[in-house]
Each structure stands twice: as C-alpha cells, then as structure tokens.
Amino acid sequence: MIPTFLALGLVIPLLPVKADPIRSAVAAAVPRLMAGAGGHAEQKTCFACHNQATPALALDAARARGIDVPKKFFTAQAEHVAGFLASNKEEFRTGRGTGGQAATAGYALFALELNGHHPDDTTAAVASYLLKFQSSRDHWETTSDRPPTEASHFTTTYFAIRGLKVWGAKADREQIDKRIEKARTWLIKTAAKDTEDRVFRLLAIKEAGVGEKEIAAASWELLKTQRMDGGWGQLDSLASDAYATGSALYALHHSADLKVDSPAYRAGVSFLVKTQLADGTWWVKSRSKPFQKYYESGFPHENDQFISISASGWATVALVEGMGK
C-alpha cells in the first residue's frame, strides 16, 4: 500500500474534491493550452517539447473526460510534429539526430502518440535512432541542460523506452528488449536527486517492467517529498509549483496506482486549484538560460512562458485525473 499523509502523521487542509470545481479549472486551462500549442506551430517549424508534448498529454486526457477539444486540433498538431521529424529524417537515419538529441526525439514521438499519428517511415527512423543512440550505455543521457524538462537522464530514458515500445520496428524487438533490460538495471540502482528525477524514475521503472517492490520504493521516494501545502517543489530549495506538483501526481497515479481520492492526491489537487490564475494558467519562473530568440507563442508569462505552459499541462492532466471516471 502506498504511504499517505496519514502514515506520516500530517494533517493538511483540503478542498472538497468535487468534480465541478475541478472541471471548471480544467475547462479554463484547455483553451490556453490549445493557444500555446497552436501558436507555436503557426510561428515555428520546429517541435517544442514544452509547448506541444505536455499540453498534448493534458488535452488528450481532457477530451477523454468529455471536455471539448476539436479533433482537427490534434490532427494539426500531429502534422506539425511529423513534419519537423520528416525534415530531419536523414539525420535520424544516419544517427546525427537533431537539437536536443534523444530528449527531443522521445518527446516528439510521445506527442505523436497522443495526437493520434500512425507509424510511418519517419517514426521508424526516429525509433531506430533512439535504439542506436548511446548504445554502449545502460540508459539514455540528456545532452541538454534546460531544467527541469531537459536536464534529467531519467526523463530522457523514460521517453526513449516509451518511444521504442510504441514505435519500434518488430524486426528490432530483440534489440529493443535488450536495451530496455539494460536500462531496467540502471533504473533500479541509480538514485534520483530532485523531483524531476523522482517523477521520471518512477515512470521509467513502470514502463520498463520493473517489479512491484521497486515501484513501491520509487513511489515512496517521490511521495515523501510532498509539502505541507500539498504541492511539490522542483528542488528542495524552491517553493511548490504546478510543474513539480502536476508531474508528481501524474507519475504516482499512473505508475503507482495512487488513488485520486487519497489524502495525498486530494492535497495536490487542492494546491493546484488554489494556485491557478484567473486566466486559467499557472505561472512558474524559468530556471533555464535562454538560448533562442524570444517569441510569443500565444501563451502568457513572457520569458517564463515555456516552463509555464509545460507546468500548466502537468497541472491540467493531474486535475483531469482528479475528476475521476
């Protein structure tokens, strides 16, 4: 059984967990996420992990709960991401990859999965690239340093495993299984250092098929860092925020079966509802050093818009799950 606040002896004030307030919060966030994801695609030819992957996760979940997200939106997003990957198909085939390397490839395949894309020559090339990338290692290392989304080897490893399982060629299945087996050993023995690590170590352990004992231990490592306000912070030195809180709740629910009516999940939902801004978004201050020219994507918060849209995506998907079936 997953430990909860009761096991820790903590008492946290909770909002009543009713579907309507949570649904209202989700409904307010959805058009903002659509605007940010669509706005990026209108201005840029590249795929953006922050503007497109996490929003896609939230919007796909929202649609499954009856929130109106037009099918054509997902189609357009899939076409944009697929177009970016296709323009770099030769680079993937030859192992050169593209900016962000395995992290970008993994996030992009995840976005295609959520947006309903079907396998093709391009996805085959990207999956083959992930299989061969850093093949002598027992995990996939990030080549970027843009915390939190592109700074953890656990994040890159999770998306690589997910990408290979969903998009890998049948002819490569034996090699894929061997690569995942190596990663499984690394995941078990390697300690997480911050919330991003803990979130994606838990997700990757589940995705890689590690046993229940290890899943329970990884979930506890994440759960025990929940704050008295119900949220999680990206680092021990930082305040709770929507990015860390939403991603933690998602990982605990999907990988460790934390129930949405548990005290811990309810406390996280309470934190997210209370910290949502009037415009339907969540603001999180960026920790990354900018390296590309500033542009407006259609999402608020100016220089902090990239982390804030990703945070809003995580917060929204956590709230969607909190609505129940």
Side-chain angles (χ1 to χ4, degrees):
M1 180 179 295
I2 296 173
T4 67
F5 287 112
L6 297 178
L8 292 174
L10 301 179
V11 178
I12 295 181
L14 306 176
L15 289 178
V17 180
K18 297 180 180 179
D20 289 347
I22 301 174
R23 179 175 284 271
S24 295
V26 172
V30 162
R32 286 298 195 171
L33 293 172
M34 291 176 61
H40 170 83
E42 290 173 1
Q43 297 188 59
K44 302 289 182 178
T45 59
C46 64
F47 160 73
C49 305
H50 39 75
N51 275 61
Q52 296 180 289
T54 314
L57 179 64
L59 293 169
D60 179 62
R63 178 177 59 170
R65 293 298 195 282
I67 302 293
D68 183 29
V69 185
K71 182 178 179 180
K72 64 181 181 181
F73 171 83
F74 293 99
T75 300
Q77 285 288 293
E79 289 175 350
H80 176 78
V81 179
F84 164 72
L85 293 177
S87 69
N88 292 278
K89 182 162 57 177
E90 192 60 29
E91 283 75 13
F92 285 115
R93 281 178 172 168
T94 57
R96 294 194 301 271
T98 185
Q101 298 297 326
T104 297
Y107 264 114
L109 288 180
F110 187 60
L112 286 183
E113 177 188 347
L114 294 166
N115 285 306
H117 192 69
H118 297 290
D120 54 28
D121 288 346
T122 298
T123 60
V126 179
S128 178
Y129 163 79
L130 284 175
L131 179 60
K132 297 173 182 176
F133 184 75
Q134 298 176 337
S135 59
S136 63
R137 298 183 182 275
D138 54 4
H139 63 289
W140 287 262
E141 291 192 352
T142 182
T143 57
S144 302
D145 186 22
R146 295 198 292 172
T149 56
E150 292 183 62
S152 170
H153 300 326
F154 290 103
T155 306
T156 305
T157 296
Y158 166 72
F159 283 116
I161 293 172
R162 180 73 181 182
L164 288 174
K165 288 181 66 177
V166 173
W167 303 97
K170 290 183 179 179
D172 293 333
R173 185 52 53 189
E174 183 176 351
Q175 288 180 275
I176 290 171
D177 290 344
K178 288 180 179 179
R179 189 86 200 264
I180 293 176
E181 176 62 32
K182 289 170 62 178
R184 191 181 296 126
T185 301
W186 177 80
L187 288 165
I188 292 172
K189 71 180 183 181
T190 307
K193 298 179 180 179
D194 58 21
T195 300
E196 180 81 357
D197 276 2
R198 295 180 195 108
V199 163
F200 281 96
R201 180 172 180 264
L202 176 55
L203 287 167
I205 279 177
K206 178 69 172 182
E207 195 68 41
V210 176
E212 291 300 318
K213 179 180 178 181
E214 288 79 10
I215 291 175
S219 67
W220 172 238
E221 286 298 313
L222 177 58
L223 187 56
K224 72 181 182 180
T225 60
Q226 189 172 21
R227 310 281 180 75
M228 289 295 294
D229 61 7
W232 276 261
Q234 293 177 43
L235 303 174
D236 292 343
S237 59
L238 296 177
S240 302
D241 67 45
Y243 182 98
T245 302
S247 60
L249 291 175
Y250 177 83
L252 288 165
H253 180 61
H254 282 269
S255 296
D257 198 29
L258 180 69
K259 305 302 182 185
V260 298
D261 59 354
S262 69
Y265 204 100
R266 290 174 59 202
V269 165
S270 178
F271 172 82
L272 292 173
V273 171
K274 288 187 293 186
T275 56
Q276 186 181 32
L277 301 178
D279 65 2
T281 70
W282 287 262
W283 170 74
V284 175
K285 184 174 178 57
S286 177
R287 295 165 50 211
S288 297
K289 295 180 179 179
F291 71 92
Q292 61 180 319
K293 186 177 180 181
Y294 177 80
Y295 72 98
E296 284 291 347
S297 67
F299 196 84
H301 309 307
E302 299 180 336
N303 289 314
D304 297 321
Q305 66 179 295
F306 295 163
I307 181 60
S308 294
I309 189 172
S310 190
S312 296
W314 282 122
T316 302
V317 75
L319 290 178
V320 169
E321 299 293 353
M323 290 164 53
K325 301 297 184 182

